[in-house]
Coordinates of all heavy atoms in Angstrom, one line a residue:
M909 N 0.8 -1.2 0.0 CA 0.0 0.0 0.0 C 0.9 1.2 0.0 O 1.9 1.3 0.6 CB -0.9 0.0 1.2 CG -1.9 1.1 1.3 SD -3.0 1.1 2.7 CE -4.0 -0.3 2.3
T910 N 0.4 2.2 -0.7 CA 1.2 3.5 -0.7 C 0.4 4.6 0.0 O -0.8 4.7 -0.1 CB 1.4 4.0 -2.2 OG1 2.1 3.0 -2.9 CG2 2.1 5.3 -2.3
Y911 N 1.1 5.3 0.9 CA 0.5 6.4 1.6 C 1.0 7.7 1.0 O 2.2 7.9 0.7 CB 1.0 6.3 3.1 CG 0.5 5.1 3.8 CD1 1.3 3.9 3.7 CD2 -0.7 5.0 4.4 CE1 0.9 2.7 4.3 CE2 -1.1 3.8 5.0 CZ -0.3 2.7 4.9 OH -0.8 1.5 5.5
F912 N 0.1 8.6 0.8 CA 0.4 9.9 0.2 C 0.3 11.0 1.2 O -0.7 11.2 1.9 CB -0.6 10.2 -1.0 CG -0.5 9.2 -2.1 CD1 -1.3 8.1 -2.1 CD2 0.4 9.4 -3.1 CE1 -1.2 7.2 -3.1 CE2 0.5 8.5 -4.1 CZ -0.3 7.4 -4.2
V913 N 1.3 11.9 1.2 CA 1.4 13.1 2.0 C 1.0 14.2 1.0 O 1.5 14.3 -0.1 CB 2.7 13.3 2.6 CG1 2.7 14.7 3.4 CG2 3.1 12.2 3.6
Y914 N 0.0 15.0 1.5 CA -0.5 16.1 0.6 C -0.7 17.4 1.3 O -0.7 17.5 2.5 CB -1.8 15.6 -0.1 CG -2.9 15.5 0.9 CD1 -3.8 16.5 1.2 CD2 -3.1 14.3 1.6 CE1 -4.8 16.4 2.1 CE2 -4.2 14.1 2.5 CZ -5.0 15.2 2.8 OH -6.0 15.1 3.7
Y915 N -0.7 18.4 0.5 CA -1.0 19.8 0.9 C -2.4 20.2 0.4 O -2.8 19.8 -0.7 CB -0.1 20.8 0.3 CG 1.3 20.8 0.8 CD1 2.4 20.4 0.0 CD2 1.6 21.3 2.1 CE1 3.7 20.5 0.5 CE2 2.9 21.3 2.6 CZ 3.9 20.9 1.7 OH 5.2 21.0 2.2
L916 N -3.1 21.0 1.1 CA -4.3 21.7 0.6 C -3.9 23.2 0.5 O -3.3 23.7 1.5 CB -5.5 21.6 1.5 CG -6.1 20.1 1.6 CD1 -7.4 20.2 2.4 CD2 -6.4 19.6 0.2
I917 N -4.1 23.8 -0.6 CA -3.6 25.1 -0.8 C -4.8 26.1 -1.1 O -5.6 25.7 -2.0 CB -2.6 25.2 -2.0 CG1 -1.4 24.3 -1.6 CG2 -2.2 26.6 -2.3 CD1 -0.4 24.1 -2.8
D918 N -4.8 27.2 -0.5 CA -5.8 28.3 -0.8 C -5.0 29.2 -1.7 O -3.9 29.7 -1.3 CB -6.1 29.0 0.5 CG -7.0 30.2 0.3 OD1 -7.1 30.7 -0.8 OD2 -7.6 30.7 1.3
P919 N -5.5 29.4 -2.9 CA -4.8 30.3 -3.9 C -4.4 31.7 -3.3 O -3.5 32.3 -3.7 CB -5.7 30.4 -5.1 CG -6.6 29.2 -5.0 CD -6.7 28.9 -3.5
A920 N -5.3 32.2 -2.4 CA -5.0 33.5 -1.8 C -4.1 33.5 -0.6 O -3.5 34.5 -0.3 CB -6.4 34.1 -1.4
A921 N -4.0 32.4 0.1 CA -3.2 32.4 1.4 C -2.1 31.3 1.4 O -1.3 31.3 2.3 CB -4.1 32.3 2.6
G922 N -2.1 30.4 0.5 CA -1.1 29.4 0.5 C -1.5 28.1 1.2 O -2.7 27.9 1.4
V923 N -0.6 27.3 1.7 CA -0.9 26.1 2.3 C -1.6 26.3 3.6 O -1.3 27.1 4.4 CB 0.4 25.3 2.6 CG1 0.2 24.1 3.5 CG2 1.2 24.9 1.4
F924 N -2.7 25.5 3.8 CA -3.5 25.6 5.0 C -3.7 24.3 5.7 O -4.2 24.2 6.8 CB -4.8 26.4 4.8 CG -5.8 25.6 4.0 CD1 -6.8 24.8 4.6 CD2 -5.9 25.8 2.6 CE1 -7.7 24.1 3.8 CE2 -6.8 25.2 1.8 CZ -7.7 24.3 2.4
Y925 N -3.3 23.2 5.0 CA -3.4 21.9 5.6 C -2.4 20.9 5.0 O -2.2 21.0 3.8 CB -4.9 21.4 5.4 CG -5.2 20.1 6.0 CD1 -5.6 20.0 7.4 CD2 -5.2 18.9 5.3 CE1 -5.9 18.8 8.0 CE2 -5.5 17.7 5.9 CZ -5.8 17.6 7.2 OH -6.2 16.4 7.8
V926 N -1.9 20.1 5.9 CA -1.0 19.0 5.4 C -1.7 17.7 5.9 O -2.1 17.6 7.1 CB 0.4 19.1 6.0 CG1 1.3 17.9 5.5 CG2 1.0 20.4 5.6
G927 N -1.8 16.7 5.1 CA -2.5 15.5 5.4 C -1.9 14.2 4.9 O -0.9 14.3 4.1
L928 N -2.5 13.1 5.2 CA -2.0 11.8 4.8 C -3.2 10.9 4.4 O -4.2 11.0 5.1 CB -1.3 11.2 6.0 CG -0.8 9.7 5.9 CD1 0.4 9.6 5.0 CD2 -0.4 9.2 7.3
T929 N -3.0 10.2 3.3 CA -4.1 9.3 2.8 C -3.6 8.2 2.0 O -2.5 8.3 1.4 CB -5.2 10.2 2.0 OG1 -6.3 9.3 1.7 CG2 -4.5 10.7 0.7
C930 N -4.4 7.2 1.9 CA -4.1 6.1 0.9 C -4.8 6.2 -0.4 O -4.4 5.7 -1.4 CB -4.5 4.7 1.6 SG -3.5 4.3 3.0
I931 N -5.9 7.0 -0.4 CA -6.7 7.2 -1.5 C -7.0 8.7 -1.8 O -7.9 9.2 -1.3 CB -8.1 6.4 -1.4 CG1 -7.9 5.0 -0.9 CG2 -8.9 6.5 -2.6 CD1 -9.1 4.2 -0.5
P932 N -6.0 9.3 -2.5 CA -6.1 10.7 -2.6 C -7.4 11.3 -3.2 O -7.9 12.3 -2.6 CB -4.9 11.0 -3.6 CG -4.0 9.9 -3.5 CD -4.9 8.7 -3.2
E933 N -8.0 10.7 -4.2 CA -9.2 11.3 -4.8 C -10.3 11.2 -3.8 O -11.1 12.1 -3.7 CB -9.5 10.5 -6.1 CG -10.7 11.1 -6.8 CD -10.5 12.6 -7.2 OE1 -9.4 13.0 -7.4 OE2 -11.6 13.3 -7.3
E934 N -10.4 10.1 -3.1 CA -11.5 10.0 -2.1 C -11.3 11.0 -1.0 O -12.3 11.6 -0.5 CB -11.5 8.6 -1.5 CG -12.7 8.2 -0.8 CD -12.7 6.7 -0.4 OE1 -12.7 5.8 -1.3 OE2 -12.5 6.4 0.8
R935 N -10.1 11.3 -0.6 CA -9.8 12.2 0.5 C -10.1 13.6 0.0 O -10.7 14.5 0.8 CB -8.3 12.1 1.0 CG -8.0 12.9 2.1 CD -8.7 12.5 3.4 NE -8.2 13.2 4.5 CZ -8.9 13.4 5.6 NH1 -10.1 13.0 5.8 NH2 -8.4 14.1 6.6
R936 N -9.8 13.9 -1.2 CA -10.0 15.3 -1.8 C -11.5 15.5 -1.8 O -12.0 16.6 -1.4 CB -9.5 15.4 -3.2 CG -9.7 16.8 -3.8 CD -9.4 16.8 -5.3 NE -10.3 16.0 -6.1 CZ -11.6 16.3 -6.3 NH1 -12.1 17.4 -5.9 NH2 -12.4 15.5 -7.0
R937 N -12.3 14.5 -2.2 CA -13.8 14.7 -2.2 C -14.3 14.9 -0.8 O -15.3 15.6 -0.6 CB -14.4 13.5 -2.9 CG -14.4 13.5 -4.4 CD -15.3 12.5 -5.0 NE -15.1 11.1 -4.6 CZ -14.3 10.2 -5.1 NH1 -13.6 10.6 -6.2 NH2 -14.1 9.0 -4.7
A938 N -13.7 14.2 0.2 CA -14.2 14.3 1.6 C -13.9 15.8 2.1 O -14.8 16.4 2.7 CB -13.5 13.3 2.5
H939 N -12.8 16.3 1.7 CA -12.5 17.7 2.1 C -13.5 18.6 1.4 O -14.1 19.5 2.0 CB -11.1 18.1 1.7 CG -10.0 17.6 2.6 ND1 -9.9 18.0 3.9 CD2 -9.0 16.7 2.4 CE1 -8.8 17.4 4.4 NE2 -8.3 16.6 3.5
Q940 N -13.7 18.4 0.1 CA -14.6 19.2 -0.7 C -16.0 19.2 -0.2 O -16.7 20.3 -0.2 CB -14.5 18.7 -2.2 CG -15.1 19.6 -3.2 CD -14.8 19.1 -4.6 OE1 -14.6 17.9 -4.8 NE2 -14.8 20.0 -5.5
R941 N -16.5 18.1 0.3 CA -17.9 18.0 0.8 C -18.1 18.4 2.2 O -19.1 18.3 2.8 CB -18.3 16.5 0.6 CG -18.5 16.1 -0.9 CD -18.9 14.7 -1.0 NE -19.0 14.4 -2.4 CZ -18.8 13.2 -2.9 NH1 -18.5 12.2 -2.1 NH2 -18.9 12.9 -4.2
G942 N -17.0 18.8 2.9 CA -17.1 19.3 4.2 C -17.1 18.1 5.2 O -17.6 18.3 6.3
K943 N -16.6 17.0 4.9 CA -16.7 15.8 5.7 C -15.5 15.7 6.7 O -15.4 14.8 7.5 CB -16.7 14.5 4.9 CG -17.9 14.4 4.0 CD -19.2 14.3 4.7 CE -20.4 14.2 3.8 NZ -21.6 14.2 4.5
C944 N -14.5 16.6 6.5 CA -13.3 16.6 7.4 C -13.4 17.8 8.3 O -13.3 18.9 7.9 CB -12.0 16.7 6.5 SG -11.9 15.4 5.3
R945 N -13.6 17.5 9.6 CA -13.7 18.5 10.6 C -12.6 19.5 10.6 O -12.8 20.7 10.8 CB -13.9 17.9 12.0 CG -14.3 18.8 13.1 CD -14.6 18.1 14.4 NE -13.3 17.7 14.9 CZ -13.2 16.8 15.8 NH1 -14.2 16.1 16.3 NH2 -12.0 16.5 16.3
S946 N -11.4 19.1 10.4 CA -10.2 20.0 10.5 C -10.2 21.0 9.4 O -9.5 22.1 9.5 CB -8.9 19.2 10.5 OG -8.9 18.4 9.3
T947 N -10.9 20.8 8.3 CA -10.8 21.8 7.2 C -12.2 22.4 6.8 O -12.3 23.2 5.9 CB -10.2 21.2 5.9 OG1 -11.0 20.0 5.5 CG2 -8.7 20.8 6.2
K948 N -13.2 21.9 7.4 CA -14.6 22.2 7.0 C -14.8 23.7 7.0 O -15.3 24.3 6.0 CB -15.6 21.5 7.9 CG -17.0 21.8 7.5 CD -17.9 21.0 8.4 CE -19.4 21.2 8.0 NZ -20.3 20.3 8.8
A949 N -14.5 24.4 8.0 CA -14.8 25.9 8.1 C -13.9 26.7 7.1 O -14.4 27.6 6.5 CB -14.5 26.4 9.6
K950 N -12.7 26.3 7.0 CA -11.8 27.0 6.1 C -12.3 26.9 4.6 O -12.3 27.8 3.9 CB -10.3 26.5 6.2 CG -9.4 27.0 5.2 CD -9.1 28.4 5.3 CE -8.0 28.9 4.3 NZ -7.8 30.3 4.3
I951 N -12.6 25.6 4.2 CA -13.1 25.4 2.9 C -14.4 26.1 2.6 O -14.6 26.7 1.6 CB -13.1 23.9 2.6 CG1 -11.7 23.4 2.5 CG2 -13.9 23.6 1.3 CD1 -11.5 21.9 2.4
K952 N -15.3 26.1 3.6 CA -16.6 26.8 3.5 C -16.3 28.3 3.3 O -17.0 28.9 2.4 CB -17.4 26.6 4.7 CG -18.8 27.2 4.7 CD -19.6 26.8 5.9 CE -21.0 27.5 5.8 NZ -21.8 27.1 7.0
A953 N -15.4 28.9 4.0 CA -15.1 30.3 3.9 C -14.5 30.6 2.5 O -14.8 31.6 1.9 CB -14.1 30.8 5.0
M954 N -13.6 29.7 2.0 CA -13.0 29.9 0.7 C -14.1 29.9 -0.4 O -14.1 30.7 -1.3 CB -12.0 28.8 0.4 CG -10.7 28.9 1.2 SD -9.6 27.5 1.0 CE -9.5 27.4 -0.7
W955 N -15.0 28.9 -0.3 CA -16.1 28.8 -1.2 C -17.0 30.1 -1.2 O -17.3 30.6 -2.3 CB -17.0 27.6 -1.0 CG -16.3 26.3 -1.5 CD1 -15.1 25.9 -1.2 CD2 -16.9 25.3 -2.3 NE1 -14.8 24.7 -1.8 CE2 -16.0 24.3 -2.5 CE3 -18.2 25.2 -2.9 CZ2 -16.2 23.2 -3.3 CZ3 -18.4 24.1 -3.7 CH2 -17.4 23.1 -3.8
A956 N -17.2 30.6 0.0 CA -18.0 31.8 0.1 C -17.3 33.0 -0.6 O -18.0 33.9 -1.1 CB -18.3 32.2 1.6
A957 N -16.0 33.0 -0.6 CA -15.2 34.0 -1.2 C -14.9 33.8 -2.7 O -14.2 34.5 -3.3 CB -13.9 34.2 -0.4
G958 N -15.5 32.7 -3.2 CA -15.3 32.4 -4.6 C -14.0 31.7 -4.9 O -13.6 31.7 -6.1
R959 N -13.4 31.1 -3.9 CA -12.1 30.4 -4.2 C -12.3 28.9 -4.0 O -13.1 28.5 -3.2 CB -11.0 30.9 -3.2 CG -10.7 32.3 -3.4 CD -9.5 32.8 -2.6 NE -9.4 32.3 -1.2 CZ -9.9 33.0 -0.2 NH1 -10.6 34.1 -0.4 NH2 -9.8 32.5 1.0
R960 N -11.5 28.1 -4.6 CA -11.4 26.6 -4.5 C -10.1 26.2 -4.0 O -9.1 26.8 -4.5 CB -11.8 25.9 -5.8 CG -13.2 26.3 -6.3 CD -14.3 25.8 -5.4 NE -15.6 26.1 -5.9 CZ -16.4 27.1 -5.5 NH1 -16.0 27.9 -4.6 NH2 -17.6 27.3 -6.0
F961 N -10.0 25.2 -3.2 CA -8.7 24.7 -2.8 C -8.0 23.8 -3.9 O -8.7 23.3 -4.7 CB -8.7 24.0 -1.5 CG -9.4 22.7 -1.5 CD1 -8.7 21.5 -1.8 CD2 -10.8 22.5 -1.3 CE1 -9.3 20.3 -1.9 CE2 -11.4 21.3 -1.3 CZ -10.6 20.1 -1.6
E962 N -6.7 23.7 -3.8 CA -6.0 22.8 -4.6 C -5.4 21.7 -3.7 O -4.9 22.0 -2.6 CB -4.9 23.5 -5.4 CG -5.4 24.6 -6.3 CD -4.2 25.3 -6.9 OE1 -3.2 24.8 -7.2 OE2 -4.4 26.6 -7.2
M963 N -5.4 20.5 -4.2 CA -4.8 19.4 -3.4 C -3.5 19.0 -4.2 O -3.6 18.7 -5.4 CB -5.7 18.2 -3.3 CG -5.1 17.0 -2.5 SD -6.3 15.7 -2.4 CE -5.5 14.7 -1.2
V964 N -2.4 19.1 -3.5 CA -1.1 18.8 -4.2 C -0.5 17.6 -3.5 O -0.2 17.7 -2.3 CB -0.1 20.0 -4.1 CG1 1.2 19.7 -4.7 CG2 -0.7 21.2 -4.8
L965 N -0.3 16.5 -4.2 CA 0.4 15.3 -3.6 C 1.9 15.6 -3.5 O 2.5 16.0 -4.5 CB 0.1 14.1 -4.5 CG -1.3 13.7 -4.6 CD1 -1.4 12.4 -5.5 CD2 -1.9 13.4 -3.3
F966 N 2.4 15.5 -2.3 CA 3.8 15.8 -2.1 C 4.7 14.5 -2.3 O 5.7 14.6 -3.0 CB 4.1 16.3 -0.7 CG 5.5 16.6 -0.5 CD1 6.1 17.8 -1.0 CD2 6.3 15.8 0.3 CE1 7.4 18.0 -0.8 CE2 7.6 16.1 0.6 CZ 8.2 17.2 0.0
A967 N 4.2 13.4 -1.8 CA 5.0 12.2 -1.9 C 4.2 10.9 -1.6 O 3.2 11.0 -0.9 CB 6.2 12.2 -0.8
G968 N 4.5 9.8 -2.3 CA 4.0 8.5 -2.0 C 5.0 7.7 -1.3 O 6.1 7.6 -1.8
V969 N 4.6 7.1 -0.2 CA 5.5 6.4 0.7 C 5.0 5.0 1.0 O 3.8 4.9 1.3 CB 5.8 7.2 2.0 CG1 6.8 6.5 2.9 CG2 6.3 8.6 1.7
P970 N 5.7 4.0 0.8 CA 5.2 2.6 1.0 C 4.9 2.2 2.5 O 4.0 1.4 2.8 CB 6.3 1.7 0.5 CG 7.5 2.5 0.4 CD 7.1 3.9 0.3
R971 N 5.6 2.8 3.5 CA 5.4 2.5 4.9 C 4.7 3.6 5.6 O 5.1 4.7 5.5 CB 6.7 2.2 5.6 CG 7.4 0.9 5.1 CD 8.7 0.6 5.8 NE 9.0 1.5 6.8 CZ 9.7 1.2 7.9 NH1 10.2 0.0 8.1 NH2 10.0 2.2 8.8
K972 N 3.7 3.2 6.4 CA 2.8 4.2 7.1 C 3.7 5.0 8.1 O 3.5 6.2 8.1 CB 1.7 3.5 7.8 CG 0.7 4.6 8.4 CD -0.5 3.9 8.9 CE -1.5 5.0 9.4 NZ -2.8 4.4 9.9
L973 N 4.6 4.4 8.8 CA 5.4 5.1 9.8 C 6.2 6.1 9.1 O 6.3 7.3 9.6 CB 6.3 4.1 10.5 CG 7.1 4.7 11.6 CD1 6.3 5.4 12.7 CD2 8.0 3.6 12.3
D974 N 6.8 5.8 7.9 CA 7.6 6.8 7.2 C 6.7 7.9 6.7 O 7.1 9.1 6.7 CB 8.3 6.1 6.0 CG 9.4 5.2 6.5 OD1 9.9 5.3 7.6 OD2 9.7 4.2 5.7
A975 N 5.5 7.6 6.3 CA 4.6 8.6 5.8 C 4.2 9.6 6.9 O 4.1 10.8 6.7 CB 3.4 8.0 5.2
L976 N 3.9 9.0 8.1 CA 3.6 9.8 9.3 C 4.7 10.8 9.6 O 4.5 11.9 10.0 CB 3.2 8.9 10.5 CG 1.9 8.2 10.3 CD1 1.7 7.1 11.4 CD2 0.7 9.2 10.5
R977 N 5.9 10.3 9.6 CA 7.1 11.1 9.9 C 7.2 12.2 8.9 O 7.5 13.4 9.2 CB 8.4 10.3 9.9 CG 8.5 9.4 11.1 CD 9.7 8.5 11.1 NE 9.8 7.7 12.3 CZ 10.4 6.5 12.3 NH1 10.9 6.0 11.3 NH2 10.4 5.9 13.5
L978 N 7.0 11.9 7.6 CA 7.1 12.9 6.5 C 6.0 14.0 6.7 O 6.3 15.2 6.6 CB 7.0 12.3 5.2 CG 7.0 13.2 4.0 CD1 8.3 14.0 4.0 CD2 6.9 12.4 2.7
E979 N 4.8 13.5 7.0 CA 3.7 14.4 7.3 C 4.1 15.4 8.4 O 3.9 16.6 8.3 CB 2.4 13.7 7.6 CG 1.2 14.6 7.9 CD 0.1 13.8 8.5 OE1 0.2 12.8 9.1 OE2 -1.1 14.3 8.3
N980 N 4.6 14.9 9.5 CA 5.0 15.7 10.6 C 6.0 16.7 10.3 O 6.0 17.9 10.6 CB 5.4 14.8 11.8 CG 5.5 15.5 13.1 OD1 4.6 16.4 13.4 ND2 6.5 15.2 13.9
T981 N 7.0 16.3 9.5 CA 8.1 17.2 9.0 C 7.5 18.3 8.2 O 7.9 19.4 8.3 CB 9.2 16.4 8.2 OG1 9.7 15.4 9.1 CG2 10.2 17.3 7.7
M982 N 6.6 17.9 7.3 CA 6.0 18.9 6.4 C 5.1 19.9 7.2 O 5.1 21.1 6.9 CB 5.1 18.2 5.3 CG 5.9 17.3 4.4 SD 7.4 18.0 3.7 CE 6.8 19.3 2.8
I983 N 4.5 19.5 8.2 CA 3.7 20.4 9.1 C 4.6 21.3 9.8 O 4.4 22.5 9.8 CB 2.9 19.6 10.1 CG1 1.7 18.9 9.4 CG2 2.3 20.5 11.2 CD1 1.0 17.8 10.2
E984 N 5.7 20.8 10.3 CA 6.7 21.7 11.0 C 7.3 22.7 10.0 O 7.5 23.9 10.4 CB 7.8 20.8 11.6 CG 7.3 20.0 12.8 CD 8.4 19.0 13.3 OE1 9.5 19.0 12.8 OE2 8.1 18.3 14.3
L985 N 7.6 22.3 8.8 CA 8.2 23.2 7.9 C 7.2 24.3 7.4 O 7.5 25.4 7.3 CB 8.7 22.4 6.6 CG 9.9 21.6 6.8 CD1 10.2 20.7 5.5 CD2 11.1 22.4 7.1
T986 N 6.0 23.9 7.2 CA 4.9 24.8 6.8 C 4.7 25.8 8.0 O 4.6 27.0 7.7 CB 3.6 24.1 6.5 OG1 3.9 23.1 5.5 CG2 2.6 25.0 6.0
L987 N 4.5 25.3 9.2 CA 4.3 26.2 10.3 C 5.5 27.2 10.5 O 5.4 28.3 10.7 CB 4.1 25.5 11.6 CG 2.7 24.9 11.8 CD1 2.6 24.0 13.0 CD2 1.7 26.1 11.9
G988 N 6.7 26.6 10.4 CA 7.9 27.4 10.5 C 8.0 28.5 9.5 O 8.3 29.7 9.8
K989 N 7.6 28.2 8.3 CA 7.6 29.2 7.2 C 6.5 30.3 7.5 O 6.8 31.5 7.4 CB 7.3 28.6 5.9 CG 7.3 29.5 4.7 CD 7.1 28.8 3.4 CE 7.0 29.8 2.3 NZ 6.7 29.1 1.0
L990 N 5.4 29.9 7.9 CA 4.3 30.8 8.2 C 4.5 31.7 9.4 O 4.2 32.9 9.4 CB 3.0 30.0 8.4 CG 2.4 29.3 7.2 CD1 1.2 28.5 7.6 CD2 2.1 30.3 6.0
L991 N 5.2 31.2 10.4 CA 5.5 31.9 11.6 C 6.4 33.1 11.3 O 6.5 34.0 12.1 CB 6.0 31.0 12.7 CG 5.0 30.1 13.3 CD1 5.7 29.1 14.2 CD2 3.9 30.8 14.0
N992 N 7.2 33.0 10.2 CA 8.1 34.1 9.8 C 7.6 35.1 8.8 O 8.4 35.8 8.2 CB 9.4 33.4 9.3 CG 10.2 32.7 10.5 OD1 10.2 33.2 11.6 ND2 10.7 31.6 10.2
T993 N 6.3 35.1 8.6 CA 5.7 36.0 7.6 C 5.0 37.1 8.4 O 4.6 37.0 9.5 CB 4.7 35.3 6.7 OG1 3.6 34.9 7.6 CG2 5.3 34.1 6.0
P994 N 4.8 38.3 7.7 CA 4.1 39.4 8.4 C 2.7 39.1 8.8 O 2.2 39.6 9.8 CB 4.1 40.5 7.3 CG 5.2 40.1 6.3 CD 5.3 38.6 6.4
N995 N 2.0 38.2 8.1 CA 0.6 37.9 8.4 C 0.5 36.6 9.2 O -0.4 35.9 9.1 CB -0.2 37.8 7.1 CG -0.2 39.1 6.4 OD1 -0.3 40.1 7.0 ND2 -0.2 39.0 5.1
S996 N 1.5 36.2 10.0 CA 1.6 34.9 10.6 C 0.4 34.6 11.5 O -0.1 33.5 11.4 CB 2.9 34.8 11.4 OG 2.9 35.7 12.4
K997 N -0.1 35.5 12.2 CA -1.3 35.2 13.1 C -2.4 34.8 12.2 O -3.1 33.8 12.5 CB -1.6 36.5 13.9 CG -0.7 36.7 15.0 CD -1.1 37.9 15.9 CE 0.0 38.2 16.9 NZ -0.4 39.3 17.7
H998 N -2.7 35.5 11.1 CA -3.8 35.1 10.3 C -3.6 33.8 9.6 O -4.5 32.9 9.6 CB -4.0 36.2 9.2 CG -5.0 35.8 8.1 ND1 -6.3 35.7 8.3 CD2 -4.8 35.4 6.8 CE1 -6.9 35.3 7.2 NE2 -6.0 35.2 6.3
L999 N -2.4 33.5 9.1 CA -2.1 32.3 8.4 C -2.1 31.1 9.3 O -2.6 30.0 9.0 CB -0.8 32.4 7.6 CG -0.8 33.4 6.5 CD1 0.6 33.6 5.9 CD2 -1.8 33.0 5.4
V1000 N -1.5 31.2 10.5 CA -1.5 30.1 11.4 C -2.9 29.8 11.9 O -3.3 28.6 12.1 CB -0.5 30.4 12.6 CG1 -0.7 29.4 13.7 CG2 0.9 30.5 12.1
A1001 N -3.7 30.8 12.1 CA -5.1 30.6 12.5 C -5.8 29.7 11.4 O -6.7 28.9 11.6 CB -5.9 31.9 12.7
S1002 N -5.4 30.0 10.1 CA -6.0 29.2 9.0 C -5.6 27.7 9.1 O -6.4 26.9 8.6 CB -5.5 29.8 7.7 OG -6.0 31.1 7.5
L1003 N -4.5 27.4 9.7 CA -4.1 26.0 9.8 C -4.8 25.3 10.9 O -4.9 24.1 10.8 CB -2.6 26.0 10.1 CG -1.6 26.3 9.0 CD1 -0.2 26.4 9.5 CD2 -1.7 25.3 7.8
S1004 N -5.4 26.0 11.8 CA -6.1 25.4 12.9 C -7.4 24.8 12.5 O -8.1 25.1 11.6 CB -6.4 26.4 14.0 OG -5.2 26.9 14.4

């Protein structure tokens, strides 16, 4: 089985979610339909503003433990980058 680490990107604000899945298309649809508690409010707000998110697959990894480590690293890198921007409070709130 292959595990995929992915980003969800808001065209106006950049990366707002990093996740892990075995079935990327199914997971994208779940985010799109508001079935994922962690992204539901953000995606609803984006749709209200006329924006759609993009799902970008970062890597396919055969072992789940390695995929979880990669996901954690990508979250840390994303948060670190956002914390050093002028709008960090707004962007970090978007990740929540």
Side-chain angles (χ1 to χ4, degrees):
M909 183 176 293
T910 301
Y911 298 88
F912 296 92
V913 177
Y914 65 93
Y915 287 112
L916 294 184
I917 300 173
D918 176 344
V923 172
F924 68 92
Y925 184 80
V926 178
L928 175 70
T929 185
C930 293
I931 309 169
E933 185 57 29
E934 199 172 289
R935 187 66 172 152
R936 185 192 62 77
R937 281 194 304 270
H939 283 294
Q940 193 171 26
R941 292 179 181 150
K943 302 292 183 185
C944 303
R945 191 174 70 200
S946 56
T947 60
K948 183 177 183 174
K950 172 67 177 175
I951 290 173
K952 184 177 179 180
M954 287 172 54
W955 281 51
R959 299 189 312 272
R960 302 293 183 258
F961 71 88
E962 298 174 33
M963 181 179 192
V964 178
L965 297 180
F966 180 75
V969 181
R971 290 181 3 151
K972 186 173 185 177
L973 182 59
D974 293 335
L976 287 166
R977 286 179 179 148
L978 178 59
E979 177 189 31
N980 195 39
T981 299
M982 298 312 296
I983 290 168
E984 289 173 3
L985 290 172
T986 302
L987 280 173
K989 181 179 178 185
L990 293 176
L991 290 173
N992 291 318
T993 65
N995 298 322
S996 62
K997 287 183 183 176
H998 170 72
L999 294 172
V1000 171
S1002 297
L1003 289 171
S1004 302

